[in-house]
Amino acid sequence: MSQQRIMRAIIDNISKVIIGKKSVAELCLISLLCEGHVLVEDVPGVGKTSLVSSLAKSIDCSFRRIQFTPDILPSDLTGFSIFNQKTGEFEYKTGLLMSSFILADEINRTSPKTQASLLEVMEENQVTVDGVTRKVTRPFMVMATQNPHEFVGTYPLPEAQMDRFIMRIRIGYPEQADEVDILKRFKHSKPIIEPVATPTEIVDLQEDVKNVFVNESVYGYIVDLVRSTRTNPNAELGASPRGSFMLYRAAQAFALYAGRAYVIPDDVKLMAKHVLAHRIVLSQDAKIHQVTQEDVVETALKSVTVPAPRVQGNA
């Protein structure tokens, strides 16, 4: 199956369950192609679990939902060693992270120590227990959720962990017609999702993304956008160099999804808010005046000169 047919088939599959939110499904797929992780910040009941579940089923991968609570321990996620009295040796018991797709539901309700246990696996696709490093399966993706309106008993994610997510996505409520369609389509049962791709095909697509051509002028455009967020008076902290790289990779993935072997500036512009906004720390004055992180990125997009689209040139 061709690259385009695989990607379109996955989106069509997800759209059977997540109605009227094709752009959200596309962002999740693009994040997966970048080998990245997604933070979904939205209210309950808009389909966060169904989104990641249908993505996993579409690729015939294992899926695990972890409900984060204050009593979840790091060892519950990474696994632990237990002494076997029969053999006289310690045995490793796998943790909850040993799955291809992880839904970290309400991640901000667990302790900072447990949140921190995710950092290694999100960055390096591995867990280390008692000095032994174990790789997780590929593809591997963490989709974490948090409610943006309920903060009682929560532990806000620190900037270092927010920076590990390639994108922050908001699903939002469906349109009126889409919500009617949801009632009609799900009145008996949810649609059955059949696999339309294999894990190997996704890993191959992830490698194809890295080979998408990027012109020298686009490199400069990405860096200028990120640097502009650092000098904005409304930002106490701008986007990090990791943000520059993630924006670069997301633009490559979007170009591949669009059927191109090269990146154009519009790819960067389309991905910028999703990739950069959550990496920005607003100043107190900006919060008082209700300036958002997306506003800071929008200012950068308006102030930085867009290079003329060119395909030829040095990478």
Side-chain angles (χ1 to χ4, degrees):
M1 191 184 295
S2 68
Q3 293 175 335
Q4 293 303 302
R5 289 181 63 190
I6 292 171
M7 292 185 284
R8 300 298 176 187
I10 292 172
I11 297 300
D12 290 343
N13 234 18
I14 297 174
S15 297
K16 294 177 183 177
V17 178
I18 309 299
I19 299 171
K21 299 293 181 180
K22 182 179 178 182
S23 61
V24 173
E26 290 172 336
L27 290 172
C28 286
L29 177 59
I30 288 167
S31 298
L32 175 62
L33 297 182
C34 296
E35 301 180 64
H37 311 285
V38 174
L39 177 65
V40 183
E41 190 176 86
D42 221 320
V43 297
V46 293
K48 300 185 293 291
T49 303
S50 298
L51 176 63
V52 66
S53 175
S54 57
L55 178 59
K57 290 177 181 177
S58 297
I59 306 169
D60 197 17
C61 284
S62 56
F63 162 67
R64 183 167 283 166
R65 176 182 178 273
I66 307 172
Q67 182 64 50
F68 277 74
T69 56
D71 59 346
I72 290 282
L73 300 174
S75 58
D76 294 330
L77 304 182
T78 61
F80 54 91
S81 297
I82 187 170
F83 185 72
N84 187 323
Q85 292 183 340
K86 291 183 178 179
T87 62
E89 296 179 348
F90 282 92
E91 294 180 355
Y92 173 69
K93 298 297 182 181
T94 58
L96 298 172
L97 292 177
M98 290 303 175
S99 184
S100 292
F101 287 84
I102 301 293
L103 175 62
D105 212 1
E106 295 188 289
I107 190 173
N108 57 336
R109 291 201 174 277
T110 196
S111 68
K113 187 174 183 179
T114 303
Q115 291 175 5
S117 66
L118 285 169
L119 294 180
E120 180 184 13
V121 71
M122 290 174 67
E123 185 70 17
E124 303 175 41
N125 284 5
Q126 65 183 33
V127 296
T128 301
V129 178
D130 295 333
V132 179
T133 298
R134 295 174 174 85
K135 289 285 186 180
V136 295
T137 57
R138 289 186 69 192
F140 177 76
M141 184 180 190
V142 173
M143 178 177 284
T145 72
Q146 63 179 9
N147 186 334
H149 300 291
E150 188 178 349
F151 298 107
V152 177
T154 63
Y155 304 87
L157 295 178
E159 287 77 17
Q161 191 160 347
M162 290 288 285
D163 205 36
R164 294 301 201 284
F165 292 98
I166 187 171
M167 291 189 193
R168 179 177 63 187
I169 297 174
R170 296 185 174 100
I171 298 176
Y173 290 119
E175 298 293 331
Q176 195 269 351
D178 292 328
E179 196 159 359
V180 170
D181 193 16
I182 290 171
L183 298 181
K184 292 179 178 178
R185 193 177 300 190
F186 297 157
K187 63 182 178 181
H188 295 302
S189 61
K190 285 186 177 182
I192 297 175
I193 300 294
E194 298 291 344
V196 294
T198 65
T200 301
E201 288 173 327
I202 297 302
V203 172
D204 290 342
L205 283 172
Q206 289 174 338
E207 295 303 316
D208 291 337
V209 165
K210 299 172 185 176
N211 295 321
V212 172
F213 178 82
V214 181
N215 188 274
E216 191 72 29
S217 62
V218 177
Y219 278 112
Y221 181 52
I222 291 171
V223 172
D224 288 345
L225 280 176
V226 173
R227 291 176 67 87
S228 179
T229 67
R230 300 172 193 166
T231 58
N232 190 305
N234 289 313
E236 186 174 308
L237 287 176
S240 66
R242 183 186 281 114
S244 300
F245 182 78
M246 290 294 98
L247 181 55
Y248 159 77
R249 188 67 85 208
Q252 286 182 303
F254 184 83
L256 185 72
Y257 177 73
R260 281 182 277 102
Y262 56 90
V263 172
I264 60 175
D266 280 351
D267 299 332
V268 178
K269 293 171 69 175
L270 285 170
M271 294 293 103
K273 286 186 181 180
H274 304 294
V275 175
L276 298 181
H278 65 286
R279 304 173 194 275
I280 295 167
V281 178
L282 295 173
S283 66
Q284 286 300 320
D285 190 59
K287 293 176 183 177
I288 291 171
H289 290 89
Q290 298 184 325
V291 176
T292 66
Q293 295 161 313
E294 285 78 9
D295 290 336
V296 174
V297 180
E298 183 65 30
T299 298
L301 289 169
K302 290 179 178 178
S303 61
V304 175
T305 302
V306 181
R310 291 182 296 170
V311 181
Q312 303 300 323
N314 298 323

